[in-house]
Amino acid sequence: MAGPPPGLVIAEMTREIAGPNVRPLKPHERRRKSRALLVATLGNLSIIAALTFCVALIAGTVPSAAVLALYFIPVLVATLLWNFEQGMIAAFASAFAAEFFCFAPAFSFRIDHWRDVLALLIFLAAALLSGYLVDGIRRLRHAASAPPAQGDSMAESTPPDRPVLRFAGATRTVPERIAEFLVGHERAMYCDQCIQDQLGLKWRQQVQLVTATLAVTNLFQRDSGQCQNCNQLKHVIRHVKPQ
């Protein structure tokens, strides 16, 4: 029996990562959000335009594929300054700018060599993955450093030496659910498969990306060991207290 179309799987996976909307925005909130989005996008594209101008000066002296490495800069900057969505915009805008100005024939979107197509596809995949991981680290650090709200029952019941992850909204995204699961099972080590089973997630690739991102922070440690749940020797992750 044939599975669902790949596009449908990717769309559903993206919705699970991003999380559904908690509530509809009010008119003034939509206007404010639209203005902020416009300012962020214009700033994002300005960074890419400035980099493209500099890259155009050296485009003839270095291989075209090597120029793509420089376009990781606006992707990471946009993700750190704003969010993953701006990182996606930067990734696709950078790919179009590099193809138009740096790949032969110049000032054209025509591609003559399959190697250039492969280079652009690899760049897009690597840029989107890098942006996703950087955004996960940014969100996690912001949540860990957020001050507790007054009257928060979770803050009252949590020991002061234990970091609490706080996320906006009542609906948790996949990275937030995994982080809170590990924080709730402090010192216990879980493999990706058991985390997927415990939280009822559909794709193990999601869990692998999230746990790899969490392991970069000082709140989580990922290593080889015995899983708390299945007792098998695998790559496991656990929550640790920051040094």
Side-chain angles (χ1 to χ4, degrees):
M1 183 177 179
L8 181 60
V9 173
I10 294 174
E12 187 174 352
M13 191 171 177
T14 302
R15 283 195 299 271
E16 285 199 5
I17 291 176
N21 293 328
V22 178
R23 61 176 178 83
L25 295 177
K26 296 180 180 179
H28 70 278
E29 292 176 328
R30 285 198 299 267
R31 289 192 296 269
R32 184 171 64 248
K33 186 174 181 180
S34 299
R35 286 194 297 268
L37 176 62
L38 178 61
V39 171
T41 304
L42 290 177
N44 190 0
L45 296 179
S46 298
I47 295 174
I48 297 173
L51 177 63
T52 301
F53 176 78
C54 297
V55 167
L57 299 178
I58 62 171
T61 61
V62 295
S64 299
V67 174
L68 286 173
L70 296 175
Y71 280 99
F72 279 100
I73 298 174
V75 175
L76 299 180
V77 169
T79 305
L80 288 172
L81 288 181
W82 296 292
N83 50 39
F84 178 61
E85 287 74 16
Q86 288 297 324
M88 291 177 60
I89 294 174
F92 284 98
S94 296
F96 280 113
E99 198 282 326
F100 188 79
F101 291 101
C102 304
F103 284 76
F107 306 106
S108 172
F109 287 112
R110 192 184 69 198
I111 302 179
D112 293 338
H113 302 288
W114 64 269
R115 292 187 299 272
D116 294 340
V117 177
L118 183 61
L120 287 171
L121 292 177
I122 293 176
F123 165 77
L124 279 175
L128 293 175
L129 178 59
S130 301
Y132 173 77
L133 295 178
V134 169
D135 183 65
I137 296 173
R138 180 186 63 83
R139 288 164 57 89
L140 182 62
R141 287 182 174 177
H142 175 74
S145 61
Q150 293 183 353
D152 194 332
S153 59
M154 185 177 181
E156 295 173 357
S157 61
T158 303
D161 60 344
R162 179 174 174 180
V164 179
L165 300 180
R166 304 184 181 278
F167 302 95
T171 304
R172 299 296 188 259
T173 63
V174 170
E176 294 164 355
R177 290 173 59 193
I178 293 176
E180 290 184 344
F181 171 79
L182 294 173
V183 170
H185 298 79
E186 189 174 3
R187 299 187 183 89
M189 299 183 294
Y190 289 92
C191 65
D192 295 337
Q193 182 63 56
C194 289
I195 293 176
Q196 177 189 0
D197 295 338
Q198 292 287 331
L199 298 180
L201 303 175
K202 294 183 180 180
W203 295 281
R204 199 159 69 116
Q205 290 79 1
Q206 281 182 321
V207 182
Q208 290 173 340
L209 283 173
V210 173
T211 54
T213 303
L214 295 177
V216 180
T217 70
N218 62 347
L219 295 177
F220 300 91
Q221 181 180 0
R222 181 178 171 88
D223 204 349
S224 297
Q226 187 176 14
C227 177
Q228 179 82 13
N229 188 60
C230 65
N231 296 322
Q232 296 184 17
L233 186 62
K234 296 180 177 180
H235 275 92
V236 293
I237 186 171
R238 66 187 179 98
H239 172 253
V240 295
K241 294 181 180 180
Q243 301 296 328

